[in-house]
Structures are given as C-alpha cells and as structure tokens.
Amino acid sequence: MYMLSDKDIPVEKSEPLVYLFVLCHNSKKWLKKCLDTLLNTDYTRYKVHIIDNNSSDDSVEFIKDNYPSVSIIQNKRNLGWCKGNNVGIEISRNIADYTLFLNSDTSFEKTDWLKELVEFAECNHEYGIYGCVQYDYNSSDFLNINTWTKYILTNGNRDIFYSWNKKISNVVKNKPAYLESVLSRRKHIDCYFVQGAAMMVKNELLNEIGGFDPLYFIFQDEVDFSRRARYKGYKTALVCNSRIKHVGSGDNSSTKKNMKRRNFYYTRNKYIFLLTDVSRNWDEILEISQQFFRNDLRDALKTKQDVSSVFQLVSILFSILIKSPSIFKKRMLEKRMKQTF
C-alpha cells in the first residue's frame, strides 16, 4: 500500500489526520510484520513515522531499503520510551488531530483497527486516550487476550494500586469465551490507563498536559499520563472493536540484561507514581509503600522475575532517594494541575 506523504493528504477530506509513531531500539526482528500490517490499514488519512533510539542492529537501514515511504527520526542515543515518544509529540501536536504511539512488537492484521479508534474518538469527545484490545502475538487467531486486556476486562477503571498490590482478580482469567462475550456486548470500557504499546491520544489533550514525563524513562509513564489527563477531565477508553496483537515487553525481555533493566524500571517507577499521587495523603502513601516493599522484598528473596535480587531492590531504593528532589517537584506541579481543574 502506498503511504501518503504530508503534501499528498487532501486538506478538504473530513477524516481526522492521525500521526503514528513506532518507537524502536534494536527492533529489526519485529519491524517487517509490524510495518507490513500497519501500512495495510483501511483508514486513509494517516502517516507513519519510525522513531529510532540509536539502534545498532541495522533497523534504520532495513526500513530505508524496504519502506521508503516511512519517515525515520533518528535519535543520537537511547532516549527511552518517554523522551523518545516526546520527540514525536513535538512533530505531531500542531499538525495532526490524533497521535498514536506504538511499540515495534505489535501487528495489525485486523485492517479496521485504526478506523475503529478514530470513529470512537470522534463520537465521544469526553475521552482523550484510546486503546486497542490486545491479543497474544504468536497466536494464529484472535482468541488469546493478553494480560493487560484481561486486567481491564476484569477490573475496568479500578485504581492501578489494586493490581500492583497483587490483588488482581483471576476469576475469569482463563475463560476466553467469557472475555470475548464481554467485548461483543460493549463498544468501549472505561479504564484506568491504556498500555503504551498501542495508545492513541487526542492532540488537544497533548497541548493541555504536555508529553510523557522523562522521570520514568520507561514503564508506568502511560499510567502517569492517564492520571494527568483525568486531572483535566478527560476519560480513558478501551475500544472493544479495535483488535491488534502484541508480544509484550518485546526487546525488554530478550536478554538477561534487558530483563534486569525492565525489572528495575518497572518496580522503581511504581514508587515514583505513588509518591507523586496528590490524591493520597502521606499516611496512605506510607501504608501503600510499605506494602509495595514487603511484596518486592519477598520477590527479591525468592529471586522472582519482578525483582531479580535483593541487590537490585537496594539499587531501586537508592535511585528513588537520588531522584527525590525531582519527585517532590513533580508532586507540587501535579497538585497545582489538579487544583486548577
């Protein structure tokens, strides 16, 4: 399929313009399936950009050779998920109507997935963030719903701390027929956050609250973004007719080193999110952080995947201490943001 360039997009067309940004870092093994299916969408007014975070696996050369219509933005170093996508926001915010952030370990075999997102957004103006139903990447059909989607279908708009304290309901976890019946009955489901692997945002919202907070680098950043959107009165939705496939963690789980990095940021950043939650007083924050620490220490002692070792847990706590000035500055900014709405 021929991709539209900016000058090819007719101004008179009524469809909203969507800018899609695929963030990559040594993601060559995912790119063919991602781009082949992404460029086959039946929505017409969109433009695909690759944001490359200084890959060393010939990802950029592969795209240039095989997808000449796709724009490539090359960062000189790995900026992480937040700063990397913020580069895209600066390009999109004053041009497009919606900005869509994608991970490279996704595929889009249902060609109406983008059309469904835009149609929902255009008919439901109180929403500012939109997500797709995600299925396991390697399944030959659309039956095995991934963990994040199961969480939303089971718990809806429930506070994210419910999940982080390991109280997530598993009642319907292994009943795909039931989950599919929930999807078939609903156009959308209100949710606490949309997973950043496939997250569409109204540009009006981006202009109000800005981009992703670099304090996180990667993980929990989309949860933070959704919280700030709520401060401005925007809702977040899982759009039930938009279906994609997603590996989950992708290159962040491809090696032992990458897995350790994933565990570090995933665990550290939930504490940052908690410490900057201005809807909670300090007694509540202390109680929840103690529960976090008990769970994380238990996992560290068992050398579980969540925290690989006691040493890593100590390094996480030290990192939080080092970043405490930035954390408390962010808390004060969010307090003012919440008060002004």
Side-chain angles (χ1 to χ4, degrees), residues 173 219 288 325:
K173 184 174 181 180
F219 298 121
I288 295 171

Side-chain angles (χ1 to χ4, degrees), residues 13-128:
K13 292 197 73 171
S14 60
E15 294 92 342
L17 174 59
V18 184
Y19 268 28
L20 300 92
F21 294 96
V22 182
L23 188 67
C24 298
H25 177 65
N26 294 330
S27 306
K28 183 180 177 180
K29 62 183 175 182
W30 311 112
L31 286 174
K32 178 173 172 50
K33 188 171 183 179
C34 176
L35 291 173
D36 283 350
T37 54
L38 183 58
L39 297 176
N40 197 39
T41 176
D42 59 12
Y43 190 75
T44 58
R45 201 161 182 249
Y46 71 102
K47 183 169 178 59
V48 176
H49 302 75
I50 295 290
I51 302 177
D52 185 76
N53 266 340
N54 196 31
S55 293
S56 58
D57 65 348
D58 297 325
S59 293
V60 172
E61 289 74 15
F62 173 77
I63 298 164
K64 287 179 179 179
D65 291 343
N66 295 279
Y67 304 93
S69 63
V70 174
S71 299
I72 305 174
I73 303 156
Q74 292 180 255
N75 295 325
K76 294 182 179 180
R77 60 187 177 89
N78 184 0
L79 299 179
W81 198 89
C82 299
K83 283 188 175 181
N85 279 315
N86 285 349
V87 172
I89 289 173
E90 290 306 309
I91 295 170
S92 171
R93 67 193 312 165
N94 295 318
I95 300 175
D97 299 289
Y98 298 95
T99 301
L100 208 158
F101 307 97
L102 297 168
N103 285 3
S104 56
D105 61 338
T106 49
S107 67
F108 310 89
E109 293 147 58
K110 299 278 189 180
T111 59
D112 64 348
W113 70 277
L114 180 54
K115 182 179 178 181
E116 292 288 348
L117 286 179
V118 176
E119 286 184 353
F120 174 84
E122 288 294 288
C123 294
N124 298 273
H125 299 292
E126 69 272 28
Y127 291 84

